[in-house]
Amino acid sequence: VEVEYASEFRYRNPIVTPSTLCIVISQSGETADTLAAMREAKRRGAHTLGLVNVVGSTIAREDDGGVYLHAGPEIGVASTKAFTSQVVALALFALKLARKRTLSVIRGREIAQAMHDLPKQIQAILDRAAEIEKIAEEYKDAHNFLYLGRGFNFPAALEGALKLKEISYIHAEGYPAAEMKHGPIALIDEKMPVVFIAPHDGVFDKIVSNIQEVKARGGKTIIITSRDEPALAGLVDHEFRIPETVDMLTPVLASVPLQLLAYYIAVKRGANVDQPRNLAKSVTVE
C-alpha cells in the first residue's frame, strides 16, 4: 500500500497496473485534485474505489465502486465526522481483506467487536468535554503546538495539528515522535505545548522516552493515554484518558479529544469555527 497526495499523484508518473486498486477519499466527492487523480488511475487501467459522503457526487458516479459514508451533511468546513467515518470505513475494508487472507476468525471477531464499541466509547469522551475545555483555557494564547505520535497514532497527530491550524489559526505541526530529535526538539521550551498521543499500545514504552525528553527541556506536556501508567509519573502537565481498544482503532478515539481541543481553543480566541478564514468546503480548482 502506498499513500499519495491526490494533488501530486498525476505528476509522479505513478506505477499503476490493471491489478492496482486505487482508493479515492473525498468528503464532497467533488475535490478537483482527487477527481483528476482517480481519472488518471482509471486511464492507466486501475480499479477505483471511492469513499465519499455526498450521494451522487462526481467521484461516486465515476468510480468503479465504493462506499457512501452517510455521516450526514458537513456544515463546518473543518471535517470531523467525515474524517472519523473515513477511518472506520477503511478499517472495515482492511478487516474484510484480512479475513479473506490470513486473519483468524477469533482475531477478526475481536476487531469487529471493538468497532462495534466505538460509538459508546466516543460518547464517553464527548461526555467529558469539559476536561478538554480546561486545557484549552490554559493554552488558548500559545503561538505554536507540537503533536507527536508513533505507529497508528502518527496520523492522529497530523489530524490534531491540522484541526488546530484550520480553526484557531495557531501554528501546529504533527510529527512522528521518533523523529522529534531530528529537528523539532530544537523548538521545545517552556512556551511550547507538546501533545502526545500515547495509548497503552505496542510502542508505549518508546513514546515515554520521547515524553521524558520534552519534559527535560521544559516543554508543557498534554498526554492522550488510555490507563493509569506509573511510567508517566512526573511527566504529565495535563492528561486525558481515552477508552482502550485494539491498536488499529486508537486513532478514531484519540482524534476526538484533539478535535475538541482545537474547537475550544478556537472558540476562546473568538474565531469562527464553522467558517475559518481562507478555507472552502470543497476545493474544486487545482
Side-chain angles (χ1 to χ4, degrees):
V1 177
E2 293 287 343
V3 180
E4 297 273 358
Y5 284 105
S7 58
E8 297 286 338
F9 180 73
R10 289 186 298 151
Y11 307 106
R12 296 164 65 93
N13 191 22
I15 299 172
V16 174
T17 72
S19 62
T20 300
L21 175 66
C22 183
I23 300 177
V24 183
I25 306 171
S26 169
Q27 191 281 137
S28 66
E30 305 292 346
T31 311
D33 292 330
T34 313
L35 178 60
M38 183 183 78
R39 286 170 174 168
E40 176 66 13
K42 286 174 72 75
R43 187 182 72 80
R44 291 170 178 255
H47 296 279
T48 57
L49 181 74
L51 259 66
V52 299
N53 194 35
V54 178
V55 175
S57 56
T58 305
I59 288 176
R61 294 197 307 271
E62 293 191 14
D63 62 21
D64 295 318
V67 177
Y68 281 128
L69 300 174
H70 294 302
E74 277 269 329
I75 305 303
V77 169
S79 173
T80 49
K81 62 185 177 182
F83 169 83
T84 307
S85 299
Q86 288 161 359
V87 174
V88 172
L90 290 168
L92 279 167
F93 184 66
L95 177 61
K96 182 68 172 178
L97 286 182
R99 280 290 295 124
K100 285 184 172 294
R101 291 165 69 91
T102 59
L103 189 73
S104 72
V105 66
I106 294 173
R107 180 60 176 161
R109 284 174 177 167
E110 181 184 346
I111 295 170
Q113 182 60 50
M115 288 183 178
H116 186 268
D117 293 340
L118 285 174
K120 66 183 180 185
Q121 290 178 321
I122 290 174
Q123 186 60 55
I125 293 171
L126 294 173
D127 290 342
R128 294 162 49 219
E131 296 175 37
I132 299 293
E133 186 174 7
K134 287 182 181 178
I135 299 173
E137 181 63 38
E138 184 158 342
Y139 295 104
K140 68 181 189 297
D141 297 319
H143 296 292
N144 298 282
F145 267 77
L146 186 61
Y147 288 71
L148 300 175
R150 298 181 76 118
F152 289 114
N153 291 298
F154 164 50
L158 294 176
E159 165 67 3
L162 177 63
K163 286 295 174 288
L164 192 69
K165 281 184 280 196
E166 284 183 316
I167 64 174
S168 76
Y169 317 138
I170 295 174
H171 173 255
E173 187 171 7
Y175 224 76
E179 297 296 311
M180 178 184 68
K181 287 182 281 189
H182 296 282
I185 197 167
L187 299 171
I188 293 170
D189 59 19
E190 66 279 356
K191 296 180 181 178
M192 172 70 86
V194 183
V195 180
F196 283 94
I197 300 96
H200 196 278
D201 57 13
V203 292
F204 176 78
D205 292 339
K206 294 293 185 182
I207 205 165
V208 168
S209 68
N210 299 131
I211 298 170
Q212 290 169 338
E213 289 164 343
V214 167
K215 201 63 188 160
R217 289 157 179 81
K220 301 295 186 183
T221 57
I222 302 168
I223 314 294
I224 309 296
T225 189
S226 56
R227 66 170 78 157
D228 184 26
E229 273 297 339
L232 294 175
L235 302 176
V236 179
D237 289 298
H238 303 277
E239 179 181 291
F240 186 87
R241 301 266 182 91
I242 59 173
E244 294 200 58
T245 186
V246 296
D247 288 3
M248 64 179 278
L249 296 179
T250 52
V252 178
L253 299 180
S255 296
V256 177
L258 301 182
Q259 291 164 344
L260 286 171
L261 181 64
Y263 167 78
Y264 282 120
I265 288 177
V267 168
K268 291 175 185 300
R269 290 167 65 92
N272 185 330
V273 174
D274 291 319
Q275 294 291 328
R277 68 190 182 203
N278 305 332
L279 295 178
K281 185 65 221 170
S282 295
V283 182
T284 54
V285 295
E286 281 201 75

